[in-house]
Amino acid sequence: FSGNAAQGNIYADYGTMYAMIMPVPCYVFILVVRFKILRVLCRVGSHMSERTRELHVQLIRALTYHACLPIFTVISDTMTTIMLMDVYRHPLMENFSASLPSYLSPIVTMTFIRPYRS
């Protein structure tokens, strides 16, 4: 465990703010690339079987959700910052933020990829 004496100072909390702000352009990039891949898949989809095309769509959907799972890390950093700045503090905030992404990853895989779901 570590901390700093200047909690609430924007310069001291730069590492936390960086982790909350930087993923936003990454998620925008992920969604833009997803839509481009789906557009190409629809265009080239006539050259592949329906089963192959359906499998590609399932994989793209699963990969998109997996790529967006770290948003819960951003939420965790936000909640930690709120607790560090003494805006609001609750034990549920401490317990909820650390464990949720590890639970959601296998659930996303089992939900969106049919062989795992079966």
Side-chain angles (χ1 to χ4, degrees):
F1 294 103
S2 65
N4 55 34
Q7 293 173 349
N9 183 350
I10 190 70
Y11 300 110
D13 291 334
Y14 176 73
T16 305
M17 297 299 171
Y18 181 79
M20 290 188 304
I21 294 170
M22 271 316 288
V24 174
C26 296
Y27 295 127
V28 170
F29 176 75
I30 289 168
L31 294 175
V32 167
V33 169
R34 177 186 187 269
F35 288 120
K36 286 184 177 186
I37 290 172
L38 287 175
R39 190 172 0 146
V40 169
L41 188 61
C42 288
R43 204 174 333 135
V44 180
S46 61
H47 299 296
M48 56 177 79
S49 70
E50 185 63 33
R51 172 105 171 104
T52 304
R53 187 172 172 274
E54 179 184 337
L55 183 63
H56 276 75
V57 170
Q58 286 176 0
L59 288 173
I60 291 169
R61 187 178 302 128
L63 288 172
T64 303
Y65 283 111
H66 271 289
C68 290
L69 278 178
I71 193 71
F72 291 106
T73 305
V74 173
I75 293 169
S76 171
D77 290 341
T78 304
M79 286 194 293
T80 302
T81 303
I82 288 170
M83 289 187 293
L84 282 174
M85 293 183 179
D86 289 328
V87 175
Y88 184 73
R89 183 174 294 273
H90 193 273
L92 186 60
M93 288 173 70
E94 297 171 4
N95 296 329
F96 174 76
S97 61
S99 61
L100 192 62
S102 61
Y103 295 143
L104 288 178
S105 180
I107 291 172
V108 166
T109 302
M110 288 187 291
T111 302
F112 291 108
I113 300 178
R114 184 179 298 162
Y116 293 126
R117 192 174 49 221
S118 299

